[in-house]
Amino acid sequence: MTISAWWRDAVIYQIYPRSWADADGDGVGDLPGITARLPHLAALGVDAVWLSPFYTSPQHDAGYDVADYRDVDPLFGTLDDFDAMTATAHDFGLRVVVDIVPNHSSDEHAWFRAALASPPGSPERARYLFRDGRGAAGDEPPNNWQSMFGGPAWTRVTEADGSPGQWYLHLFDTTQPDFDWTNDEVRDELEDVLRFWLDRGVDGFRIDVAHGLVKAEGLPDGDLDHDANADATALTPMWDQPGVHDIYRRWRKLADSYAAEGQDADRILCAEAWVLPAEALARYVREDELHQSFNFEYLMTPWLADDQRATITRSLAHAEAVGAPQTWVLSNHDVVRHATRLGYRQQPGLQRIEGIGPDDPQPDTALGLRRARAATAVMLALPGSAYLFQGEELGLPEATRLPGEVRQDPTFARTGGASKGRDGCRVPVPWEDGVPSFGFGPADAAWLPQPAEYGELAVDRQIGRPDSTLMLYTELLALRKELRLGRGTLTWLDGYPADVLAFLVTSSEGSVTVLANLGDVALALSDGADVLASSLSRHDSTFIATDETVWLRR
Ligand code: GLC
């Protein structure tokens, strides 16, 4: 680790390539589109981008089903386009983090095709988790595991001679067979993939399903009522097995071997691990393991002062205990956007993050946006690193009224529509009001329909408008950088009502008092309070309104 270690306080912006910017007009975003729009991020003031997968893929799970880990899918461009994008990002001072999907491949990956063409017990099958079925005829799945997208986690194959054959494990879609990480060939291959992208100059990886690679020996039945996303406190046979940590120790050594000494050039590894409690999650970021791990407990914490205080305190303590910065996040491509989540009544305990359909109760959009701005103003003051999801800087709400026929997330089909899936947060970004596809691309094409209200939230409608969400993000990011808040330490302040989050963040460059009013009554500001920023963009007042966060010069 170099002294400055850029990632410890970096703000990293997630680009979902399908939906950010479309250069060729086919309705799906692409790498040349990203390159052309990078000035937006330079102006916003983030430090890095993280790109969701753009690799060769049949797109059954929007690219999280990788058929070739070393190439770009023609949908998104070419390897040359990738190099051009990376070079442009670096010219803007933006680091580039890419996704790595090591838990499973696509069923169109050459290895899986070879496995299907080879007999049970062959080395080709040993790269995945093939097992004989249960029951006399082997026609029951090998265990009771369920796919995260609904239905059984096992699919039966037909052997070369036409007979019903073995089953293979897929924690996600049928088209996403899980690798067997006890096999050294798998380990070596994925490490080689890391090297491939490191050699191309990437600054790090976001590790998909980082807590799922190693399964309990013997693949025992699990507790079916256990919902890993909502409560991962109990050890389940497919999640958070101790063996995953050995993999990440090796990966850390590999990443460190690329870090150029003295140049603040660490290559970083960030886990997508839905692991609770914070203490268990912190094991992923021990000194010889990963750099970061998304704090999903924070993402799921309701907008209630007691819950917020408890989560923030606990998260900071556990990360600090292992010497890691905390990694804050409020939105991503798998959850309902926070501007919409917060538009519902808040209840103690972890919040629901599942998709919303036209027949579900609809959020209060104005309330959701107001609270989202306040929540972001809390997050961007917290010590550590923060991830933003494309469009949140515009205050985009979830598309909550997508009809079933346009939905593409496999979750929707696999649950017969019972779970709406994640399309609502993946709708293409509006850049310009009043033009086809709101400027997402040159044509009137978008792979998911954009709600009409996205027009007034388009980037061009917000630039330079002081009360816009885009300007709020820009202002908070600049202050955060100037005051080095990400490197600061947090102290809770006494003497405020219980419904107010009140804390001081102090760094080498100064300090800021953050007051977030989650109560029903306005809070008077003391005379002479110097308001640096407000989530409501009214800098001259004497009080803090409900669902407003202010930053005060101390
Ligand atoms: C992760 C990704 C999600 C994907 C799943 C399977 O949770 O974030 O989008 O569907 O892994 O790869």
Side-chain angles (χ1 to χ4, degrees):
M1 189 178 83
T2 46
I3 307 287
S4 18
W6 64 271
W7 47 275
R8 292 187 78 88
D9 61 346
V11 176
I12 303 181
Y13 181 101
Q14 179 188 359
I15 292 178
Y16 193 67
R18 296 180 70 86
S19 305
W20 203 54
D22 175 20
D24 63 9
D26 66 353
V28 180
D30 45 42
L31 296 174
I34 294 173
T35 307
R37 292 290 192 186
L38 285 173
H40 172 70
L41 298 184
L44 181 62
V46 297
D47 303 297
V49 292
W50 147 38
L51 271 70
S52 283
F54 45 79
Y55 314 112
T56 313
S57 161
Q59 303 287 320
H60 292 305
D61 183 21
Y64 281 95
D65 47 326
V66 181
D68 182 349
Y69 288 85
R70 296 181 184 79
D71 207 350
V72 172
D73 195 283
L75 196 57
F76 300 114
T78 62
L79 276 173
D80 285 344
D81 292 331
F82 177 81
D83 292 341
M85 190 271 309
T86 306
T88 308
H90 286 162
D91 287 346
F92 279 117
L94 296 164
R95 319 232 181 197
V96 178
V97 172
V98 298
D99 228 295
I100 174 94
V101 188
N103 179 68
H104 48 262
S105 71
S106 157
D107 62 345
E108 294 189 16
H109 191 284
W111 274 12
F112 194 72
R113 288 171 187 258
L116 289 185
S118 305
S122 61
E124 287 82 2
R125 288 224 172 158
R127 295 160 174 158
Y128 295 92
L129 290 158
F130 281 86
R131 294 291 183 273
D132 294 333
R134 291 204 275 210
D139 55 2
E140 291 164 35
N143 69 24
N144 70 352
W145 296 4
Q146 297 293 298
S147 154
M148 290 298 288
F149 295 162
W154 295 91
T155 293
R156 194 171 196 187
V157 303
T158 304
E159 302 298 352
D161 64 2
S163 62
Q166 288 193 300
W167 299 70
Y168 67 87
L169 178 73
H170 51 86
L171 292 181
F172 295 89
D173 191 48
T174 318
T175 60
Q176 293 167 296
D178 282 47
F179 285 121
D180 183 349
W181 272 87
T182 64
N183 185 334
D184 286 352
E185 226 189 317
V186 169
R187 191 189 68 192
D188 294 347
E189 169 65 5
L190 269 297
E191 288 179 7
D192 198 57
V193 170
L194 294 178
R195 279 189 215 98
F196 177 88
W197 293 101
L198 288 166
D199 289 338
R200 287 201 109 80
V202 305
D203 300 287
F205 299 90
R206 172 266 190 191
I207 307 167
D208 191 62
V209 199
H211 59 317
L213 277 50
V214 174
K215 279 78 178 173
E217 209 177 322
L219 310 183
D221 279 345
D223 171 4
L224 277 189
D225 297 328
H226 182 84
D227 175 353
N229 274 3
D231 168 24
T233 47
L235 193 68
T236 51
M238 64 293 260
W239 305 124
D240 196 29
Q241 295 293 309
V244 293
H245 297 287
D246 297 333
I247 298 172
Y248 300 133
R249 287 195 190 95
R250 292 177 57 101
W251 284 24
R252 178 59 179 260
K253 284 203 185 92
L254 198 164
D256 282 352
S257 73
Y258 278 82
E261 269 315 311
Q263 295 180 28
D264 196 11
D266 283 352
R267 312 289 186 103
I268 68 158
L269 300 162
C270 176
E272 184 220 14
W274 291 86
V275 170
L276 293 177
E279 193 175 1
L281 186 64
R283 285 188 211 120
Y284 287 75
V285 289
R286 287 177 288 199
E287 210 181 344
D288 58 346
E289 295 194 41
L290 307 176
H291 301 77
Q292 303 180 325
S293 189
F294 294 115
N295 186 348
F296 292 126
E297 186 182 4
Y298 176 68
L299 182 153
M300 292 187 287
T301 298
W303 184 242
L304 296 172
D306 284 345
D307 293 60
Q308 289 279 326
R309 245 187 316 263
T311 301
I312 293 170
T313 304
R314 200 170 40 240
S315 311
L316 286 172
H318 287 296
E320 198 183 303
V322 293
Q326 196 36 266
T327 303
W328 310 99
V329 59
L330 286 169
S331 281
N332 69 29
H333 67 293
D334 289 328
V335 303
V336 171
R337 286 179 174 277
H338 68 286
T340 295
R341 285 201 317 269
L342 299 179
Y344 289 92
R345 205 163 76 81
Q346 301 294 293
Q347 283 166 329
L350 295 180
Q351 282 186 294
R352 271 172 51 97
I353 50 172
E354 265 174 43
I356 300 162
D359 299 332
D360 294 322
Q362 296 296 308
D364 176 338
T365 337
L367 176 66
L369 178 58
R370 178 184 176 112
R371 285 181 176 161
R373 291 170 55 127
T376 298
V378 169
M379 177 176 83
L380 290 178
L382 296 174
S385 169
Y387 278 70
L388 306 178
F389 178 49
Q390 64 177 38
E392 69 167 89
E393 79 279 23
L394 307 175
L396 285 192
E398 182 88 355
T400 56
R401 296 184 193 274
L402 291 176
E405 54 281 12
V406 304
R407 291 195 178 265
Q408 304 205 15
D409 181 353
T411 312
F412 184 73
R414 286 187 68 92
T415 61
S419 171
K420 297 294 171 283
R422 302 159 294 175
D423 294 305
C425 61
R426 300 176 174 179
V427 169
V429 164
W431 293 91
E432 277 171 68
D433 195 11
V435 300
S437 74
F438 297 129
F440 167 58
D444 192 9
W447 68 282
L448 285 171
Q450 298 160 298
E453 33 325 343
Y454 273 27
E456 63 190 26
L457 295 171
V459 174
D460 73 334
R461 292 283 296 268
Q462 300 202 33
I463 286 178
R465 235 186 57 202
D467 62 342
S468 72
T469 305
L470 180 58
M471 289 303 112
L472 173 67
Y473 270 72
T474 310
E475 184 190 2
L476 294 176
L477 288 167
L479 277 169
R480 174 190 158 89
K481 189 159 280 178
E482 182 193 322
L483 297 172
R484 288 205 106 191
L485 300 180
R487 302 277 175 146
T489 45
L490 178 146
T491 316
W492 293 106
L493 299 174
D494 293 331
Y496 290 89
D499 280 342
V500 173
L501 297 178
F503 57 90
L504 177 74
V505 179
T506 308
S507 80
S508 58
E509 303 308 309
S511 49
V512 69
T513 294
V514 177
L515 300 175
N517 186 358
L518 284 72
D520 294 332
V521 286
L523 175 76
L525 273 175
S526 53
D527 281 350
D530 183 358
V531 178
L532 287 171
S534 158
S535 64
L536 285 185
S537 73
R538 42 155 208 62
H539 294 272
D540 56 349
S541 42
T542 51
F543 66 92
I544 307 172
T546 295
D547 294 322
E548 177 183 10
T549 299
V550 296
W551 291 9
L552 303 177
R553 196 184 300 281
R554 197 194 165 198

